[in-house]
Amino acid sequence: MKYSIWFIGCLVIFSLIGCFDDKGTYDYKDLNEPIWNTGDGEPVINVTCRAGEVAKFRASPFFAWKGDSLKRAGEVRYEWKLDGVVIGEEADFDIDTYELMEKIGMTQFSKSGTNGTFSIIEKESGIAYMVRAYITISPTNTSGDWAILSKKGGNAKLSYVKCARNQETRKLEFTLLEDLFFENYNQDIPGTPLALAMSNYSTNIGSLGSVTVITDQVGYEFNCENMLKVSELQDDFTSLPANFKPIDRTDCYESMTTSGVHSFIAMEDGSLYRRQMSMNNLGGDFMSIPLAADEKGYKITKFGQPRWGFGNVPCYDEANNRMLTILFYRSGEPGPFPGFPGGTEYQLSKLATTEPAAGMPTEGWCPVWSFPEGIEFLHASYAGSVSGGGWFTYYDQMNVFYNDKDGNTRWGVYTLDQTTGQTVNNAGNKDVAFPGNKLTKESVILTSGKVNGTMLNYILYSNGSEIRYVNKQENQDYPFVTLEDATDRVTYMTYTVYLDYEYLIVGTEQGKLLFYNVQEMKANPELLEEFDLGETIISAKELSSYSSGDRY
C-alpha cells in the first residue's frame, strides 16, 4: 500500500513538471472591441419609424474603434436582426417601413417597440460584438403627435404636428401638416372654434382614439389614426336633447379596468351630459337627460383640468358661484380591504358638490363650496394626490385661481373625499395671495399635479405677450418667455406628457405655435420649433397612450 501511494505521487509530480515545461502551441488574438457610444445605462440603439415613411437605421454614430478605424472597418461586417430575421447588413441603411414590416411578418402595429440586435462581426474569427436595438414601428400618426385647433376667418382649422426624435442627434424634430380638413374634403370646418377634446382611449373609433372639434355650429369627431371625420356629436345621442349646443367635452378612462370610456359634454346653457361606454368601448350613447347635482341646479360651460385615468374633474358652477366635481367611484359591496369593493366592480361617475361635512372646521380653507360674492373665477386644475388615511386610499387635490372682490388674485388648494366629493381637512388646503402678478380672464394658467413630476413645483401663467412662472417651494415669481411681438398675446399653453414634460407648447393670438425646451426652468428657454398658422391658436391636444400624470 505504501508503494502504491508513492507511485501515484510520482505520476502527479511528473505530470505537473510536464505542464510547467509546456512552451505552448496556442494562438492568442487581441480583441479590438468597438467602443460603444449609446449614452448612460444599458447600451441600446433606438430606431423609430412610421408607416408610409422610410425607416433609417443608423449605427455609425454609436460606436468607434481604437487605432486605424478604416483598416478595422474592412475586417468586420454588420448585421441587424429583428424577430430573428436579418433586416440589414450595413451599419447604416434605409428601408421602406412597409417592406420592413413584410420582412418580419408584422401585420398590425403595436403600442410598444420590439427588441432586436445590431452586431459587428469579425470576418476572420466570427466573433460578434452585439448591442440591443429597440425598434418602434408605428402608424403614420402616433403617440407624441399633436392635433392643433385654430381660427380660419369665421371658421375653424384643424392641423397636425408630427413629433419625432432624430436618431443620430437625439434632438426633437417637428413637422406641420396644416388644415387637414380642407385638404381632405375641400371645405372648411364651419363656425368659430370653441374647443378641442382628445379621447385617447376611444378604441371604438381607432387604436389612437379620437379628437373632437367643437365650434359654435358643429361638433365633428375625427379618427386620430388618419384625422378623417367619423361622426358628429349629435350622432352619439339616442335622443337629441332640445338644448343641444355643445361647447366643451372631456373624456376619462383608465386601462386594466372592466369599464369603458366616460365622456362628458357641456352645453351652452350649462348642462352636462354623460356617456358611459361598455367594457372595451363596444357600445354606449349619451344620455338625453343631463346630470344632476343638488336642488340648486348648476351652470357649467368649461371643464377644469384633471389627471389621467378616471381622475375627478373640477368644474366651476357659474349659477351658484361654487366648485362642483365630476366624481369617479366604484360599484360593488364593501370588500375585505378598504378602497377595494367586493365582487365585480365598475367605474361609475356623478356630479358632486364640494360642501364639507357639517361641523367641519374650515378656517384657512378656500371656500370652494360657496365663494364670496364678487369674485372672478379664472381656472381650476388637478394639484396632486394625498393619502386618505387608509390602505390604498387617496384623495385628489385641486388648484383654483380667482380674483377676489377687490381684484386681487388668489390661489386656493382644496382636498376631495374620493367617496363623497366633499372638501376635507388636509395640511395642503389653503387660500392665499397668488405669488405672481395679477391675473385676468385672458391669462393662461398651466399647472402640473403629477406626483414627483418635474413640473409639479411650477405654475406657469401669461399676461399678454409675457409668460412667467411661480416656484411653489420658494413662493417666488420669475420671468420665463416674452413673445417677440409685444402686440401678440398668449392664448394657449400645454406640456408634452408623453415625453415626460420635456417641452412646452405655446399658442398665440396671431397664430404662432411655439415649442420650448423646459427640461430646465429658466428665463429664455431654447426655442425648438416655430410654426405660423396665420390666426389665433385655440387649443393643442397630444395623442398619447401614456397613462400617468396630467390630462391637458
Side-chain angles (χ1 to χ4, degrees):
M1 183 69 181
K2 190 185 305 181
Y3 292 105
S4 297
I5 295 173
W6 177 85
F7 180 71
I8 292 171
C10 288
L11 285 176
V12 171
I13 292 171
F14 287 132
S15 297
L16 289 174
I17 291 172
C19 290
F20 293 146
D21 195 47
D22 184 6
K23 301 300 181 182
T25 58
Y26 309 107
D27 293 328
Y28 294 95
K29 181 178 179 62
D30 292 328
L31 295 180
N32 184 1
E33 298 184 45
I35 302 169
W36 296 107
N37 180 30
T38 55
D40 297 332
E42 178 194 0
V44 60
I45 298 175
N46 293 290
V47 179
T48 301
C49 50
R50 300 179 188 239
E53 298 180 3
V54 173
K56 297 179 181 294
F57 286 77
R58 299 289 184 270
S60 295
F62 300 105
F63 71 90
W65 299 107
K66 295 178 183 177
D68 190 340
S69 58
L70 288 176
K71 178 178 179 295
R72 187 61 174 146
E75 299 170 346
V76 299
R77 63 182 181 87
Y78 308 99
E79 187 176 87
W80 293 84
K81 267 190 177 182
L82 186 59
D83 285 343
V85 177
V86 176
I87 59 173
E89 295 182 308
E90 300 290 339
D92 305 326
F93 74 99
D94 296 345
I95 183 172
D96 181 83
T97 303
Y98 287 126
E99 182 185 346
L100 173 62
M101 293 171 64
E102 186 177 347
K103 269 192 171 187
I104 63 175
M106 183 177 180
T107 58
Q108 61 183 15
F109 297 105
S110 172
K111 288 189 175 181
S112 59
T114 304
N115 283 312
T117 58
F118 169 71
S119 300
I120 302 175
I121 305 169
E122 294 195 2
K123 295 176 180 178
E124 183 180 338
S125 67
I127 295 173
Y129 310 101
M130 188 182 300
V131 69
R132 184 166 71 95
Y134 189 71
I135 319 299
T136 303
I137 306 173
S138 66
T140 301
N141 298 345
T142 191
S143 293
D145 291 348
W146 293 86
I148 312 295
L149 181 64
S150 61
K151 289 184 178 181
K152 183 183 180 183
N155 295 314
K157 180 164 70 175
L158 179 64
S159 300
Y160 192 86
V161 173
K162 292 186 177 184
C163 173
R165 195 179 298 279
N166 185 294
Q167 185 187 342
E168 297 177 56
T169 65
R170 305 309 297 160
K171 291 185 177 181
L172 292 173
E173 297 177 343
F174 303 90
T175 304
L176 173 66
L177 305 176
E178 194 170 356
D179 207 356
L180 293 180
F181 191 81
F182 188 85
E183 289 294 318
N184 290 327
Y185 302 101
N186 199 31
Q187 57 181 297
D188 293 328
I189 301 175
T192 302
L194 301 176
L196 187 66
M198 180 63 71
S199 182
N200 296 100
Y201 286 97
S202 286
T203 51
N204 56 310
I205 303 295
S207 62
L208 289 170
S210 71
V211 63
T212 301
V213 173
I214 300 176
T215 75
D216 61 359
Q217 296 183 31
V218 299
Y220 288 171
E221 191 165 18
F222 296 83
N223 185 340
C224 287
E225 288 183 14
N226 50 30
M227 299 308 287
L228 295 177
K229 178 187 168 188
V230 292
S231 67
E232 300 188 24
L233 285 184
Q234 59 261 36
D235 301 334
D236 295 329
F237 284 79
T238 303
S239 177
L240 199 65
N243 65 339
F244 181 80
K245 197 162 187 183
I247 59 173
D248 201 8
R249 172 177 173 168
T250 191
D251 294 75
C252 305
Y253 177 75
E254 193 162 317
S255 59
M256 306 300 290
T257 67
T258 55
S259 301
V261 173
H262 287 226
S263 304
F264 303 87
I265 291 178
M267 299 296 181
E268 188 178 53
D269 68 358
S271 55
L272 301 186
Y273 291 81
R274 177 186 61 199
R275 178 182 64 186
Q276 185 173 328
M277 301 288 282
S278 62
M279 186 177 178
N280 297 322
N281 303 321
L282 296 179
D285 288 319
F286 281 96
M287 299 185 303
S288 57
I289 300 173
L291 293 175
D294 58 11
E295 69 283 354
K296 293 181 180 179
Y298 63 87
K299 182 181 180 182
I300 296 170
T301 57
K302 187 172 181 60
F303 297 108
Q305 178 249 306
R307 63 173 172 83
W308 269 89
F310 286 119
N312 301 320
V313 184
C315 305
Y316 178 63
D317 175 9
E318 301 167 29
N320 300 289
N321 197 27
R322 61 178 178 170
M323 297 303 300
L324 299 178
T325 308
I326 297 176
L327 187 76
F328 289 92
Y329 62 101
R330 285 177 286 194
S331 65
E333 298 299 321
F337 301 103
F340 288 86
T344 302
E345 57 185 80
Y346 300 94
Q347 199 71 47
L348 302 176
S349 56
K350 62 184 178 182
L351 189 59
T353 66
T354 53
E355 184 84 30
M360 176 74 70
T362 60
E363 184 178 355
W365 294 15
C366 186
V368 294
W369 56 92
S370 180
F371 285 112
E373 289 187 12
I375 71 109
E376 180 185 42
F377 171 79
L378 299 173
H379 181 70
S381 60
Y382 171 63
S385 297
V386 294
S387 172
W391 287 2
F392 302 103
T393 304
Y394 295 92
Y395 293 158
D396 277 355
Q397 287 191 316
M398 302 294 182
N399 295 301
V400 62
F401 300 87
Y402 68 97
N403 289 327
D404 64 21
K405 61 182 179 61
D406 297 320
N408 302 309
T409 302
R410 299 191 66 79
W411 167 34
V413 176
Y414 60 101
T415 308
L416 296 173
D417 185 296
Q418 187 60 45
T419 305
T420 65
Q422 293 174 307
T423 307
V424 296
N425 188 30
N426 184 271
N429 290 354
K430 63 182 174 184
D431 184 19
V432 297
F434 181 59
N437 296 337
K438 174 181 167 59
L439 304 178
T440 71
K441 276 287 189 183
E442 290 190 337
S443 298
V444 180
I445 304 168
L446 181 63
T447 66
S448 171
K450 182 183 178 182
V451 178
N452 298 322
T454 55
M455 293 301 164
L456 180 64
N457 187 43
Y458 303 106
I459 301 171
L460 266 67
Y461 69 94
S462 71
N463 279 319
S465 61
E466 182 185 27
I467 304 172
R468 301 180 67 87
Y469 69 90
V470 168
N471 183 313
K472 293 195 287 188
Q473 291 182 348
E474 299 174 1
N475 202 40
Q476 184 66 42
D477 173 67
Y478 294 95
F480 188 52
V481 170
T482 301
L483 302 179
E484 286 187 1
D485 189 340
T487 65
D488 203 355
R489 176 175 66 87
V490 174
T491 56
Y492 194 81
M493 293 193 296
T494 188
Y495 295 118
T496 170
V497 176
Y498 182 72
L499 290 182
D500 199 22
Y501 304 80
E502 184 174 335
Y503 63 88
L504 167 78
I505 288 185
V506 175
T508 80
E509 189 173 48
Q510 295 180 11
K512 298 293 190 296
L513 189 65
L514 310 167
F515 296 75
Y516 290 100
N517 182 347
V518 291
Q519 291 177 294
E520 180 184 357
M521 289 299 291
K522 61 180 182 179
N524 304 312
E526 176 190 7
L527 179 63
L528 300 173
E529 187 59 85
E530 176 179 351
F531 298 115
D532 188 348
L533 275 70
E535 294 188 49
T536 305
I537 306 294
I538 302 299
S539 183
K541 298 295 181 182
E542 187 174 34
L543 281 66
S544 176
S545 57
Y546 196 61
S547 57
S548 177
D550 302 281
R551 184 160 56 81
Y552 296 116

